[in-house]
Structure formats: C-alpha cells, structure tokens
Amino acid sequence: MKKLGIYLIFFIVIIIVVPAVLVKTINFVMKEDKLNLTEEKDEESENKEEVKFDGYIKVYDTRTQEVLKMPLEDYVKGVVAAEMPAEFHEEALKAQAVASRTYALERTKKYPAGHPDHPGAPLCTGVHCQAYLSLQELEEAHSSKWVEQYWGKIEDAVDSTKNEVIYYDGELIEPLYHSTSGGMTEDSEDVFAVSYPYLKSVLSPYEEGAPKLKSTSTFTVNEFIDKIKENYPEANITKDNMAEKIKVVERTESGRIKKLMIDGIVIEGSKIRSIFNLNSTNFKITLNLKTNTVEIETTGYGHGVGMSQWGANGMAKQGKNYKEILCHYYQGVEIGTYK
C-alpha cells in the first residue's frame, strides 16, 4: 500500500504540478519577451523623435562654401525673392512660396546626410537647387528702396502660407518650376527621362509680357557649323547642304524639339539647347543666305516642366488663387500642412 501511495503521489506531481510550473514559467518568459519588444519599440519611437523636423534646414552656401542652418520659413523668403520677380501678383508669390517650401522639405527628406554634389546639406544656394539670397544680399543686388518696397510683400506671401506643402498620394512632390513655358508645359519624361504623374503637360496661356517668351539667337554660318562639329566632328555639314542635312525627328506634345537629326546623327533637343545656349528646346533654325547667318528662334525660357512662373502670374491676374495655380500646374495634387 505504501508503494501504491508513493506511486499515486508521483503520478499527481507529474500530471498536475509539473505542467502548472511549466505553464507559469512559459507565461513569465512570454511576458518578458513582450516587455522587451515594447522597450525596443519605445526606443525606435524615441529615435524617430530625434530626427523629426525641427523647423530648421541646412543649406550649402555656394559663395562661402559653408553649411548654414536656418529656419525653413526664412529660407523660403530668400528663395521667393531670388526666384520670382517681386512685382508679381501676391497669389503667384504664394504659389512660389508653397512650391519652394515643398522642394526644400522633399530634398531634406531625400538627402538627410547631404546631397552628393554638396555633402553636409541637402540644399544649396545656387540654381543647382533653388536660388537663395539673404536680406543683405538682396539689398546689395537691388537697393534699400527695393527692400522697403517689396520685402514686406514677400514676407506676407510666405507667412500666409506657413507650413503649407504639396502632396501627391500622401507624399511630398518634387515641384519643378521654370520661368516661361511658351504656352504649354512639358511632361517630365520628355525632359528628365523620369515620369511623374503630377508633372504632365498642361496649357499655360497667360504669359503675355514675359521678357523671354520669344527670343532669337544669331550666328554666322561658320560659327554654327563649327559649334556642331566641335561636338559631332563626323557630321558632314556645310553651308550648301545645311538645309537638307538638318531635320526634326521628334517633337514633344508641347511642340518642343525632342530629337533632331544632323547628317544622320540623332541629337537630343536638350543637347542643341546646351551647345547654342538657347532659352528652351522649343526652337526653329533658319538659314539666311542674304546675311550669311543662322537664326535660332526660341519660345519660352527654361526646361518647361512644372509651374511656369510667368504663367502663374498671369493666372493670378485672371483671379485665380495660389492653390488653383498649383493644382493646375501640378496635376492631381493636394495642398496640406507639413507635419
């Protein structure tokens, strides 16, 4: 009987007590594991708080080769003043402010450790990014009278749109802009070989008064031929065969020259623009035998993608507000507050 009692006690310990201890132990371990995960999550949240935008941005000064840290809104004021004529309508200036702010934040998010072309800062003060001038530099470039007349207007345009940015599908866009489209903007893929759904060709009809809406560059025939042969020495082009050797291969939807063929060599329109320092790729080449010159007439000024600044001013004069202007030039976007 004693043996039977011992067996029963042993059986009870194995069946009931041991599993209970195991279950308790396993529960304890699982709780510890969950606690550790929670702590790790808290640490991640703390790290995210550390890199959260604090209202300041870093900008590489191309003039002093120094990295500046400044409030975002102060930077935007300097960009608007440098990039758009202060005489423009206030709604156009507001549109520029929102576009410039969006560009700065998108670049900051994309290059937190600095841009490859200027390590240490995601932005620079040159046209490589956005032109920027400090108040002192603006006074030196214009005059104290200019500052008195226009700086308040620029401040109002920026302050009244504070923290406003442009989103597409919940993400900051790359809000490209240019001076004058010449009547129609470009698809991004036709210029930069990258397709963005918000950078599509749209009409830009209100650009009257733009100083570079139309312009003409004149070269002697020899100058023209020399520039071509400097870049394409194999091209057999002369004054006598020029008319038949130069042909347009492809135009973009807006009418700009995408590809040109010279003596069988296919050349990008952007390359011709670069060779002859043209205002845009919307150009027409004319040989004038009487004067022995080649005239290249261009329409528009800039790459033509995104917002036309002169078009924005024209829309503002037509009664459109800055949000309507932005939503016209950047298709399918929303204007919201940056968080």
Side-chain angles (χ1 to χ4, degrees), residues 36-326:
N36 288 338
L37 287 173
T38 303
E39 288 175 348
E40 289 174 1
K41 189 173 182 181
D42 288 342
E43 288 175 1
E44 288 177 3
S45 298
E46 289 174 3
N47 289 336
K48 286 182 179 178
E49 286 296 321
E50 290 175 3
V51 299
K52 188 176 180 181
F53 178 65
D54 62 357
Y56 287 78
I57 58 169
K58 290 183 178 180
V59 185
Y60 175 75
D61 191 325
T62 57
R63 294 170 284 272
T64 64
Q65 285 80 54
E66 296 177 335
V67 173
L68 309 174
K69 186 174 182 180
M70 66 181 78
L72 170 64
E73 299 302 316
D74 288 350
Y75 167 76
V76 174
K77 291 171 186 176
V79 172
V80 172
E83 287 282 2
M84 179 174 274
E87 299 86 354
F88 274 15
H89 194 286
E90 56 268 23
E91 293 301 313
L93 292 170
K94 290 179 186 178
Q96 181 68 57
V98 177
S100 296
R101 183 182 297 111
T102 305
Y103 184 90
L105 289 169
E106 192 273 339
R107 282 277 179 169
T108 298
K109 184 178 180 181
K110 189 174 183 179
Y111 302 106
H115 191 279
D117 291 339
H118 34 78
L123 297 155
C124 71
T125 59
V127 293
H128 170 264
C129 295
Q130 298 185 119
Y132 165 86
L133 291 172
S134 67
L135 187 56
Q136 180 180 343
E137 289 167 335
L138 286 166
E139 186 170 349
E140 292 172 357
H142 298 288
S143 66
S144 57
K145 184 178 180 180
W146 182 95
V147 172
E148 291 174 8
Q149 185 173 1
Y150 293 115
W151 184 246
K153 181 180 178 182
I154 291 167
E155 283 189 310
D156 288 344
V158 176
D159 291 342
S160 64
T161 63
K162 186 176 181 180
N163 292 331
E164 289 188 355
V165 290
I166 313 168
Y167 290 104
Y168 181 89
D169 198 21
E171 297 290 335
L172 290 171
I173 73 166
E174 187 170 351
L176 300 181
Y177 52 87
H178 57 282
S179 172
T180 313
S181 75
M184 194 171 190
T185 66
E186 279 278 55
D187 282 348
S188 60
E189 60 264 37
D190 285 332
V191 179
F192 302 110
V194 180
S195 178
Y196 291 106
Y198 51 83
L199 292 177
K200 295 299 180 182
S201 180
V202 298
L203 291 173
S204 184
Y206 307 114
E207 297 183 351
E208 296 86 355
K212 295 183 180 179
L213 181 60
K214 296 280 187 181
S215 59
T216 302
S217 299
T218 304
F219 307 88
T220 67
V221 171
N222 287 338
E223 286 174 340
F224 180 85
I225 293 174
D226 287 345
K227 285 181 177 292
I228 293 295
K229 288 192 172 183
E230 281 175 14
N231 292 272
Y232 303 96
E234 68 275 28
N236 177 24
I237 181 171
T238 66
K239 175 182 177 180
D240 296 330
N241 68 17
M242 189 182 299
E244 62 186 55
K245 290 287 187 178
I246 302 176
K247 299 181 184 299
V248 175
V249 175
E250 184 181 357
R251 291 185 183 273
T252 65
E253 185 179 346
S254 69
R256 292 169 172 82
I257 292 180
K258 189 173 184 178
K259 293 179 182 179
L260 196 72
M261 187 163 64
I262 299 179
D263 190 31
I265 304 167
V266 177
I267 306 171
E268 297 289 331
S270 57
K271 180 64 176 178
I272 296 295
R273 181 191 175 195
S274 176
I275 290 172
F276 293 99
N277 194 28
L278 304 176
N279 287 341
S280 78
T281 55
N282 190 350
F283 59 83
K284 181 175 67 174
I285 301 173
T286 303
L287 172 61
N288 190 327
L289 292 174
K290 290 183 179 179
T291 59
N292 197 39
T293 58
V294 175
E295 295 178 350
I296 307 180
E297 182 183 0
T298 57
T299 300
Y301 184 42
H303 52 62
V305 180
M307 183 177 71
S308 162
Q309 293 170 316
W310 278 86
N313 192 48
M315 288 185 68
K317 289 180 177 180
Q318 293 291 320
K320 302 296 183 182
N321 63 42
Y322 71 99
K323 290 184 178 181
E324 291 173 310
I325 293 169
L326 293 170

